[in-house]
Amino acid sequence: MVSLWSLVGYGVGGVIVAGVALLVAFQEKLVYVPVLPGLAKAYAVTPARLRLAYEDVWLRSSDGVRLHSWFIKLSPNCTGPTILFFQENAGNIAHRLEFVRIMLQRLHCNVFMLSYRGYGASDGYPSQHGITKDAQAALDHLIQREDIDTSRIVVFGRSLGGAVGAVLARNNPDKVSALILENTFTSILDMAGVLLPFLKWFIGGSSSKGPKILNRLVRSPWSTIDVVGQIKQPILFMSGLQDEMVPPSHMRLLYNKAIESNSECLFVDFPNGMHMDTWLSGGDRYWRTIQLFLDQYVPQTRRSSRSRIDDDNDGSNDGQILTLNCLSAYRHI
């Protein structure tokens, strides 16, 4: 005769199995949130509402998915860098327009905003495999443009966007000049244990001590910790220490992994920065950090000023002087 405790054990085990099965089946719904609760999938505003000159850009990923993007230029003759921005997992690019508006003003740059598949006006359904293709399509488009300096393309990713950007930078060392990561996680595998603590014994990244028996079932692991160590370009890590979503320790782990093989890395933290508002709480220091990073690693000397440099007998020292000036400025941020 089956005892009461055996029945309870079977019941609990059944609930756990059913719960894990649901998590596996609907994992994309947990990782990707194209529509914020209570809001429509469509863009609430366009750059025109903020008086930004922009271009609707329609792309095709390599697997045929139709993608929508906005290309926003500071001015027709802007010679600054072009920032390829990858957003967080929730909402769409329209929700980041105020951030981009200030970015254009402070950094004197162009900005390309991609809607991942399944987000905004883009077709398809989000997945790691698919979004990786989407990011490549965006970069390939920028490389073919004749109205920007293609030697000054910088990838900027926040949270999920950082994972996307890291893969793109690793795969395109000759096309991406630098990478900026903000409040990015080490991996979705590690985040599973953060958001759902009971899973940390079954799912985890390379640093996890659990059996990790469910790792093979995760379709979008986004293991940034394994990618960042393979990136050769300069990387700026910006971490909000009050991040309520991604533990700030993740950013430090990413930085520590990167500097093992890349000496051109900078880590800057913002004591009051939360997951979504580090750019607001960081104030002037936030923007000065990025500007100094760009001045040091993506200077306006790659193409637009090439002829001037060739005619300058002292031009060979410019890079050294710039580096010394930037290092001095970093100490005062």
Side-chain angles (χ1 to χ4, degrees):
M1 183 176 180
V2 180
S3 68
L4 176 61
W5 289 112
S6 296
L7 290 174
V8 171
Y10 291 140
V12 171
V15 169
I16 292 175
V17 170
V20 170
L22 287 172
L23 286 172
V24 171
F26 296 100
Q27 58 185 274
E28 279 80 10
K29 298 292 185 181
L30 299 175
V31 176
Y32 308 107
V33 188
V35 183
L36 291 170
L39 298 179
K41 183 175 183 288
Y43 304 127
V45 297
T46 69
R49 177 73 67 86
L50 280 69
R51 299 183 178 180
L52 299 174
Y54 75 104
E55 174 186 340
D56 280 302
V57 178
W58 293 93
L59 307 172
R60 287 280 180 184
S61 64
S62 60
D63 57 352
V65 176
R66 188 169 181 257
L67 308 169
H68 177 255
S69 307
W70 285 328
F71 180 59
I72 306 174
K73 291 200 73 174
L74 177 66
S75 66
N77 299 317
C78 176
T79 59
T82 295
I83 294 180
L84 175 51
F85 178 71
F86 296 123
Q87 66 162 72
E88 307 88 328
N89 73 325
N92 58 53
I93 55 177
H95 301 129
R96 280 78 193 179
L97 280 174
E98 179 60 20
F99 165 75
V100 168
R101 182 185 68 82
I102 298 176
M103 178 186 284
L104 265 71
Q105 294 176 351
R106 295 298 300 262
L107 304 181
H108 303 287
C109 61
N110 308 308
V111 179
F112 192 91
M113 306 178 73
L114 169 71
S115 280
Y116 309 133
R117 61 182 62 199
Y119 283 69
S122 294
D123 295 340
Y125 300 93
S127 67
Q128 177 173 337
H129 184 70
I131 291 177
T132 298
K133 293 179 180 294
D134 300 346
Q136 188 65 52
L139 178 60
D140 290 344
H141 168 80
L142 288 176
I143 289 296
Q144 295 172 8
R145 294 188 72 105
E146 298 181 353
D147 57 345
I148 65 171
D149 185 346
T150 56
S151 71
R152 303 180 72 200
I153 296 175
V154 178
V155 170
F156 187 137
R158 181 184 294 138
S159 191
L160 171 66
V164 177
V167 173
L168 185 68
R170 180 198 62 185
N171 292 345
N172 297 271
D174 298 327
K175 297 178 181 178
V176 174
S177 297
L179 173 66
I180 301 174
L181 299 179
E182 180 181 326
N183 296 338
T184 298
F185 45 76
T186 53
S187 72
I188 288 294
L189 301 174
D190 289 329
M191 283 302 298
V194 171
L195 300 176
L196 299 170
F198 75 91
L199 285 179
K200 66 182 179 180
W201 299 107
F202 308 101
I203 297 176
S206 56
S207 62
S208 174
K209 297 180 180 179
K212 299 181 286 189
I213 58 176
L214 298 180
N215 278 14
R216 292 180 179 274
L217 301 178
V218 177
R219 293 185 288 271
S220 291
W222 288 114
S223 189
T224 314
I225 191 71
D226 295 324
V227 173
V228 74
Q230 304 172 37
I231 297 172
K232 305 306 180 185
Q233 302 96 312
I235 311 174
L236 171 60
F237 296 82
M238 299 198 296
S239 175
L241 297 185
Q242 302 303 315
D243 194 326
E244 74 286 8
M245 292 288 293
V246 177
S249 60
H250 282 221
M251 283 292 289
R252 179 61 71 173
L253 288 169
L254 291 175
Y255 171 74
N256 290 340
K257 182 66 174 182
I259 61 175
E260 291 178 3
S261 57
N262 186 345
S263 62
E264 296 182 323
C265 295
L266 175 68
F267 185 97
V268 179
D269 57 34
F270 299 86
N272 299 316
M274 299 181 71
H275 190 64
M276 300 286 286
D277 77 346
T278 298
W279 65 277
L280 277 174
S281 61
D284 184 64
R285 178 171 174 261
Y286 177 93
W287 296 110
R288 284 192 294 118
T289 297
I290 300 176
Q291 186 63 69
L292 287 169
F293 177 75
L294 296 178
D295 288 345
Q296 181 173 356
Y297 294 112
V298 196
Q300 188 179 342
T301 57
R302 299 198 174 194
R303 187 180 73 178
S304 58
S305 302
R306 181 64 60 192
S307 59
R308 178 180 61 78
I309 292 175
D310 291 341
D311 293 336
D312 188 349
N313 292 330
D314 296 326
S316 60
N317 295 323
D318 289 350
Q320 295 177 354
I321 295 172
L322 177 62
T323 299
L324 291 173
N325 288 341
C326 286
L327 288 175
S328 177
Y330 281 133
R331 297 191 184 99
H332 296 87
I333 290 179

